[in-house]
Every structure is written in C-alpha cells, then in structure tokens.
C-alpha cells in the first residue's frame, strides 16, 4: 500500500489546480488520471477569459493559446446578427481559445513542479472510508495498486463516480445535464477573424451552437442541448446546423468530441470527513455558458489550499467546511446569477429571441463579457427587467 497525504482523482484543470496548491502548501500529493494522455480527448469548446487566467495567476503561453478572442457574434433564429467587435466595443480583447490537449498537460506539469506525483493511465476502481482517511483502489496496465490518503479530492468530471462512491450526491440532476457534441473542423470560412460565434434558438434547444476559431480556417463547431427540451439527439442537431451553415459548406471534421455538462449549479455538499469535491464533479460550471475551466480551477485552488492546511491540523468535515465557504464565496455570485439568466432564456421562443436581437442591433458596449450582455438585455427587454432586474 502506498501512503500519502492527499490523493486527487482527475487531472483536468480543476484536479491539477487542487494538486498544485496542496503541494505548494507542503502536502504530499498524488494526482491520478485514468487517461494515457492528460487532456485527451477534450470535452470542451476551449474558451477562457483573460480576467479569469489573471485571477489564477496563469500567464498565457503560445504553446497552448491558439487564438485571441477579439469579438463576439450572436445570431438569432431569423439570422439577425449582434456584433461585439472593435467597432462596437471599447475594449474588444476578451480572452483566448486554448488547445486543451496542451493546456491540461501544462497545468499537470505545474502541479508536478510544485511537488505532486502524477499517475497516468490509472483507473480508480473503488474508494473506502476508514477512520483517518480513505483507501483508494486502482488498476493500471493490468496491475492493481492500493493507496491510502488522509484527504481525497474528487475532480473526476461530470460523471463524479468518486463523490458518489463516498456517499455525496451528484451535482446535477439528469434534466440539468446538457448533452454536448463538437467537431473540430478545417476549411471553415469566417466573416471576421478572431470572433467567437453563438447561434441561439431552436437550432439547439436549451443551449446554443458555437463556432470558436482556432486558426485561419480551423474552428470548434459544436452545441449543447438539454435532452428534455430536445426532439432529436445532440449530434442530429449539430449535423443539421453544419449542413445549413454557409460558413461551413466546405468544412471537414477532423475530430469529434462528446460529453455531458452539468449546468444545475454547485452541489449542496462539497465536502465531508477527509474528502472534497471540485470542478465539474461539484457543478462548478457557469449555467449560462456551460464554461467550467476557470471556475473549476478556482474550486480546485480552494480545495488544494484547504487540504494543505488540514493535513497539518484536522481532516474532519468541521475543518474542511472552510473549503465550502471559500468555494461559495468565490463562485456563488456568478453561478447563481447566471442560473437565473439561463432559466429566463429557456422561456423565450424563437420569435422573442429575434425581437431582442433587433433591439440589440444599435447598442454599444463597454467591453465584451457575459455580464455586459445581460445588463444590456435587462435594459432593452421589459420581460428581462421583470425576471432579472436584480442582476445589475
């Protein structure tokens, strides 16, 4: 049996962030991932904000930044475009499109440089609560290995097996788990370079279609739908969109990605004796955009910092409650606000979305951000003011 202070399950951005900060705090950490290549396959549109990276102290690196986001295009069902580019926005540069297969490795390398040990192609097959921690059973390359830790951090994605095995409820109910599918495509034609595109309405019930540029003619083209709102599968909606989008008439898919996205908000129970949950497994995802890189890494950072202190003092749930407080303080404001916006948008018909888009056409913006867009929505729509007036 291998003994350690902290085991983190899942080497996505949230798990690597947790491992890094636990190790920086002096804990002995093992980071476990079931994949042979960290970051692959991706299940992400790969967009992040500049502000979010800065808050985490992460400097952009040309190895994992594929494109700067310099504008946004939102299209309503009738084809009305809302452009948020340098002509309409004072501060157009908003973020980056990543190469997750490289970014995730870099984040895991940061954890390793901080002192964490990494185990790839290692599947966690079970966990057992013991008096002073957890026993973690694994299988790697046909060999079984048992670990013992004082604190277990579950960062194993939306499926959340580890938290479930430990008796913590999953973050998302079935009807709040979006079904996502995405192609990485070449031969994509862009009306404007560096602009991320969103298509709203019945083309993706309960979600939206995105085109995120990664190069001169390369883009992630995908969508997410809420299954209980949809009449077809996610891939059927995506194939219909691709077939009818003029910018994709010559495009070819070189990769397909599928996965679930928990958009129901953070789980009520993020911790217990000797265990914490972060990232998608904890529902640390923006319910409106479905984005979870920055919020998941923020949750991971909080979990890692608390784990390092707990090892020195007390690993009980009484002490680990600090993580719950830190995570909610850092993320609640955004997640709860955008959950209300998502619920409001779900009530709108295609015709109502078109009407809002028409009113948006003459608006100008201070900067490109989801908050700025919602503030404008509240300003121009009486229904939005009624439902979201407290947002601003």
């Amino acid at each position: 049996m291998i003994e350690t202070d902290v085991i983190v399950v899942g080497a996505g951005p949230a798990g690597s962030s947790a491992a890094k900060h636990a190790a920086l705090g002096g804990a002995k950490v093992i980071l476990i991932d079931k994949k042979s290549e960290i970051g692959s396959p991706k299940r992400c549109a790969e967009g992040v904000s500049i502000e979010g990276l800065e808050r985490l102290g992460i400097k952009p690196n040309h190895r994992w930044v594929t494109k700067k986001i310099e504008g946004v295009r939102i299209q309503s069902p009738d084809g009305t475009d809302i452009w948020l580019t340098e002509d309409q926005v004072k501060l157009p540069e908003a973020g980056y499109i990543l190469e997750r297969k490289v970014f995730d490795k870099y984040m895991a390398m940061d954890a390793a440089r901080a002192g964490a040990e990494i185990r790839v192609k290692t599947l966690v097959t079970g966990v057992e609560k013991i008096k002073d921690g957890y026993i973690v059973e694994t299988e790697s390359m046909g060999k079984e290995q048992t670990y013992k830790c004082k604190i277990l951090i579950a960062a194993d994605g939306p499926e959340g097996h580890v938290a479930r095995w430990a008796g913590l409820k999953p973050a998302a109910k079935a009807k709040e788990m979006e079904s996502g599918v995405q192609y990485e495509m070449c031969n994509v034609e862009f009306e404007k370079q560096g602009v991320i595109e969103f298509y709203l309405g019945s083309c993706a019930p309960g979600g939206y279609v995105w085109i995120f540029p990664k190069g001169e003619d390369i883009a992630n083209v995908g969508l997410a739908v809420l299954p209980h709102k949809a009449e077809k599968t996610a891939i059927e909606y995506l194939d219909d969109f691709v077939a009818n989008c003029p910018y994709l008439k010559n495009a070819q898919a070189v990769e397909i990605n599928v996965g679930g996205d928990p958009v129901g908000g953070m789980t009520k129970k993020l911790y217990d004796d000797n265990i914490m949950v972060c990232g998608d497994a904890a529902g640390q995802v923006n319910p409106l955009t479905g984005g979870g890189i920055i919020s998941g890494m923020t949750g991971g950072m909080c979990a890692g910092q608390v784990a390092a202190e707990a090892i020195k003092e007390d690993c009980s749930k009484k002490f680990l409650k600090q993580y719950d407080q830190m995570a909610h303080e850092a993320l609640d404001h955004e997640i709860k606000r955008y959950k209300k916006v998502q619920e409001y948008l779900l009530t709108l018909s295609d015709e109502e979305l078109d009407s809002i888009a028409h009113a948006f056409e003459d608006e100008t913006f201070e900067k490109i951000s989801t908050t700025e867009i919602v503030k404008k929505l509240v300003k121009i729509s009486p229904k939005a003011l009624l439902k979201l007036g407290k947002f601003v």
Side-chain angles (χ1 to χ4, degrees):
M1 183 181 292
I2 297 173
E3 296 191 24
T4 190
D5 292 334
V6 178
I7 288 179
V8 181
V9 181
S16 290
S17 180
K20 171 186 174 180
H21 287 279
L24 286 173
K28 185 179 179 182
V29 182
I30 296 177
L31 174 61
I32 295 175
D33 197 277
K34 65 183 179 182
K35 299 184 290 292
S36 57
E37 180 184 8
I38 291 173
S40 181
K42 68 185 180 193
R43 293 195 294 181
C44 180
E46 303 183 293
V48 295
S49 67
I50 292 174
E51 182 185 5
L53 290 178
E54 288 176 347
R55 285 201 310 268
L56 291 164
I58 299 171
K59 295 181 179 179
N61 187 298
H62 70 279
R63 295 287 298 276
W64 43 259
V65 170
T66 67
K67 198 78 172 176
K68 284 186 177 180
I69 301 172
E70 297 178 348
V72 175
R73 175 195 203 178
I74 303 172
Q75 187 172 108
S76 72
D78 70 356
T80 300
D81 285 324
I82 303 163
W83 292 94
L84 282 69
T85 56
E86 60 184 356
D87 300 327
Q88 295 87 7
V89 184
K90 296 179 181 179
L91 300 171
E93 190 174 289
Y96 304 103
I97 304 299
L98 309 179
E99 184 57 74
R100 281 287 303 271
K101 294 173 185 176
V102 181
F103 177 78
D104 285 21
K105 287 177 191 170
Y106 264 65
M107 295 304 103
M109 289 175 187
D110 274 355
R113 293 183 183 111
E117 296 181 35
I118 299 176
R119 302 283 189 272
V120 292
K121 203 168 178 58
T122 300
L123 176 67
V124 173
T125 55
V127 300
E128 178 188 351
K129 181 73 179 74
I130 56 176
K131 182 179 180 181
D132 57 348
Y134 272 89
I135 300 294
V136 179
E137 300 288 348
T138 69
E139 186 274 326
S140 177
M141 304 291 286
K143 296 181 180 180
E144 296 180 354
Q145 178 66 62
T146 302
Y147 296 83
K148 180 182 177 183
C149 64
K150 297 174 184 176
I151 289 182
L152 178 61
I153 298 179
D156 52 335
E159 295 85 2
H161 295 308
V162 171
R164 200 172 277 112
W165 290 338
L168 299 175
K169 293 182 179 180
K173 299 175 183 177
K175 71 174 185 177
E176 293 177 325
M177 181 72 76
E178 286 186 337
S179 177
V181 60
Q182 172 179 270
Y183 294 127
E184 184 169 331
M185 308 187 85
C186 65
N187 293 339
V188 177
E189 299 171 17
F190 300 107
E191 195 159 331
K192 294 183 181 181
Q193 283 287 336
V195 174
I196 57 175
E197 303 183 11
F198 300 91
Y199 298 80
L200 308 180
S202 54
C203 59
Y208 58 86
V209 179
W210 62 82
I211 300 179
F212 282 13
K214 296 185 69 175
E216 293 300 316
D217 71 336
I218 303 168
N220 289 329
V221 180
L223 57 74
V225 300
L226 285 171
H228 72 282
K229 294 280 186 179
E231 297 178 355
K232 300 180 290 188
T233 63
I235 188 65
E236 288 173 325
Y237 279 107
L238 181 57
D239 286 341
D240 285 347
F241 176 83
V242 169
N244 292 290
C245 179
Y247 308 103
L248 304 174
K249 62 180 182 295
N250 297 314
Q252 296 288 326
V254 296
E255 183 175 333
I256 184 170
N257 314 114
V258 298
D261 197 4
V263 292
M266 265 194 288
T267 181
K268 292 181 180 178
K269 196 72 179 291
L270 297 175
Y271 69 101
D272 206 337
D273 290 328
N274 309 94
I275 188 170
M276 291 177 280
V277 190
C278 63
D280 282 8
Q284 291 168 343
V285 172
N286 184 316
L288 178 61
T289 67
I293 297 175
I294 299 299
S295 52
M297 292 186 75
T298 301
M301 177 176 67
C302 295
Q305 290 171 345
V306 171
E309 292 304 311
I311 294 301
K312 302 170 188 174
E313 298 189 40
D314 177 12
C315 298
S316 73
K317 61 184 176 183
K318 183 178 180 180
F319 191 92
L320 297 185
K321 185 178 181 180
Q322 293 179 58
Y323 163 60
D324 185 83
Q325 294 168 340
M326 288 173 66
H328 281 283
E329 183 177 340
L331 300 172
D332 254 5
H333 182 63
E334 180 173 287
I335 289 177
K336 288 183 176 179
R337 287 203 307 169
Y338 288 126
K339 181 63 179 170
K340 291 181 180 178
V341 179
Q342 181 222 29
E343 290 170 349
Y344 161 71
L345 290 177
L346 288 175
T347 69
L348 300 180
S349 65
D350 280 3
E351 291 73 24
E352 287 174 308
L353 288 169
D354 291 332
S355 177
I356 290 170
H358 299 159
F360 256 96
E361 286 185 289
D362 297 324
E363 291 290 327
T364 57
F365 296 79
E366 287 294 316
K367 61 180 180 178
I368 298 171
S369 74
T370 309
T371 298
E372 185 78 4
I373 294 170
V374 175
K375 285 181 178 179
K376 292 289 185 182
L377 174 64
V378 171
K379 175 185 172 184
I380 65 174
S381 169
K383 185 176 177 180
L385 177 62
L386 180 64
K387 297 285 187 180
L388 306 173
K390 293 182 179 180
F391 186 92
V392 296

